[in-house]
Amino acid sequence: MNIERYAFFEAQKGKTSLDSHFATFKFALKSWMKKGNDLLDSADIVDRTRENLQGTHMYEIHINRSNEPASAKTLEGITSFSDFTFTATAKEPYKTINARELTNMGTTRQIKPKKITNL
């Protein structure tokens, strides 16, 4: 298999059943904020969801990233990107990754294979 491109974007228009669950969740929180309330931290999100979506179970999870194994490390800022193209040349047989925020638009961040290997 040769992967040339990987693109993913924020859920739109309820493509899956999970999207409809998140839409309900977002609607409840936005309604609460429209009443003049603020969401200041993750505890607010948990509490407001419990109050406004009966039967919904919500848990606040804190992850201690300092205990992650080296294999779980990621590239700094990688979560800002959603469109990735993979290119290889005769000179560089391992693929260079071009990361963009939007499909074929915006600033491209080029990630060399050595940078990935060093994770």
Side-chain angles (χ1 to χ4, degrees):
M1 180 184 334
N2 182 28
I3 299 173
E4 295 178 0
R5 185 172 184 185
Y6 179 74
F8 63 94
F9 304 95
E10 183 178 331
Q12 302 285 327
K13 300 181 185 173
K15 293 178 194 85
T16 69
S17 60
L18 189 56
D19 288 340
S20 64
H21 291 290
F22 282 116
T24 303
F25 169 74
K26 284 172 57 176
F27 179 78
L29 292 178
K30 283 182 179 181
S31 295
W32 191 77
M33 289 187 299
K34 284 181 181 178
K35 294 176 184 173
N37 300 302
D38 292 321
L39 293 174
L40 301 176
D41 55 27
S42 57
D44 285 344
I45 293 171
V46 171
D47 294 341
R48 298 308 76 83
T49 302
R50 286 183 180 149
E51 289 171 10
N52 295 296
L53 290 176
Q54 300 302 315
T56 300
H57 299 281
M58 205 54 177
Y59 304 93
E60 185 175 6
I61 299 172
H62 297 274
I63 300 171
N64 183 349
R65 298 279 184 201
S66 65
N67 291 335
E68 287 183 354
S71 63
K73 301 298 180 196
T74 60
L75 294 168
E76 184 177 334
I78 197 70
T79 57
S80 299
F81 301 101
S82 59
D83 185 50
F84 302 88
T85 53
F86 305 91
T87 56
T89 64
K91 200 174 176 181
E92 287 185 306
Y94 297 102
K95 297 198 176 204
T96 295
I97 301 171
N98 292 311
R100 290 182 201 82
E101 291 179 29
L102 302 170
T103 305
N104 297 324
M105 294 178 66
T107 305
T108 300
R109 177 178 173 191
Q110 194 172 73
I111 305 164
K112 296 287 188 180
K114 185 176 182 179
K115 180 105 174 164
I116 295 168
T117 304
N118 290 339
L119 290 176

